[in-house]
């Protein structure tokens, strides 16, 4: 499975921990869109890169984004057409945002969650399929809002 990952300085250490975890689990092809240190950077640029990687490919690619809270980077990512980024800080939300929202990017805060919980959330996010059914209609409505056709 292909994964696009990114973080600003506030999420850098969490991103590194998640990358290490996914490399240990194996089976993932990970592209890291930065940042590569704790030097201050603006999260919108990273969100834009990961959002494009997830939405502009013919292949299924899921994204992981981290900033200090997970909030700014999720707001920015959700401005990329086709992105459904979910900012989560608990396991249940990380699971159900795949099941019900077909979220394609999981966002987390490096100053909010520890690496242990984050890795559990990443695992369930990456290994849970969208349920479709009545949830497809609701996701289609989100897309209609995005397209101005709602
Ligand atoms: C950076 O200090 C911080 O504002 C950013 O990582 C994020 O938390 C914004 O939502």
């Amino acid at each position: 499975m292909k994964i696009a990952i990114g973080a600003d300085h506030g999420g850098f250490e969490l991103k590194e921990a998640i990358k290490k975890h996914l490399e240990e689990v194996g089976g993932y092809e990970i592209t890291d869109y930065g940042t590569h240190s704790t030097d201050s950077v603006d999260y919108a640029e990273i969100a834009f890169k990961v959002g494009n990687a997830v939405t502009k490919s013919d292949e299924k690619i899921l994204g992981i984004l981290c900033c200090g809270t997970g909030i700014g980077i999720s707001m920015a990512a959700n401005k990329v057409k086709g992105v459904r980024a979910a900012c989560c800080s608990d396991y249940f939300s990380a699971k159900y945002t795949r099941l019900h929202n077909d979220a394609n990017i999981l966002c987390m805060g490096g100053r909010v969650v520890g690496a242990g919980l984050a890795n559990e959330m990443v695992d369930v996010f990456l290994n849970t399929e969208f349920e479709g059914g009545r949830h497809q209609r609701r996701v289609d409505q989100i897309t209609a809002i995005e397209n101005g056709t709602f």
Side-chain angles (χ1 to χ4, degrees):
M1 185 190 291
K2 292 194 172 182
I3 309 295
I5 196 166
D8 75 353
H9 53 289
F12 168 73
E13 282 169 12
L14 185 60
K15 168 174 75 71
E16 293 303 300
I18 292 167
K19 256 172 56 184
K20 183 168 178 280
H21 169 69
L22 291 178
E23 281 160 9
E24 282 167 8
V25 170
Y28 295 106
E29 190 180 321
I30 304 164
T31 304
D32 185 348
Y33 289 87
T35 187
H36 301 291
S37 77
T38 52
D39 293 348
S40 184
V41 292
D42 297 334
Y43 53 77
E45 183 184 343
I46 309 291
F48 185 64
K49 287 178 180 171
V50 169
N52 279 320
V54 165
T55 56
K56 305 285 187 287
S57 171
D58 293 335
E59 294 173 273
K60 179 180 173 180
I61 300 180
L62 291 175
I64 298 168
L65 283 170
C66 306
C67 67
T69 58
I71 296 171
I73 210 158
S74 65
M75 287 180 169
N78 275 316
K79 297 298 179 187
V80 178
K81 193 174 164 67
V83 165
R84 287 181 299 280
C87 181
C88 298
S89 51
D90 68 278
Y91 183 91
F92 184 88
S93 299
K95 178 176 179 178
Y96 274 78
T97 199
R98 286 287 307 128
L99 284 172
H100 287 185
N101 314 129
D102 199 15
N104 48 18
I105 301 182
L106 174 64
C107 302
M108 290 166 292
R111 298 169 186 155
V112 180
V113 296
L117 173 58
N119 289 336
E120 296 266 330
M121 289 196 285
V122 165
D123 288 345
V124 76
F125 182 82
L126 298 181
N127 292 294
T128 301
E129 291 298 322
F130 178 49
E131 264 182 12
R134 69 188 186 281
H135 303 294
Q136 183 63 61
R137 182 179 68 248
R138 294 160 184 166
V139 170
D140 289 345
Q141 289 168 351
I142 295 173
T143 304
I145 292 172
E146 186 174 66
N147 292 335
T149 56
F150 189 71

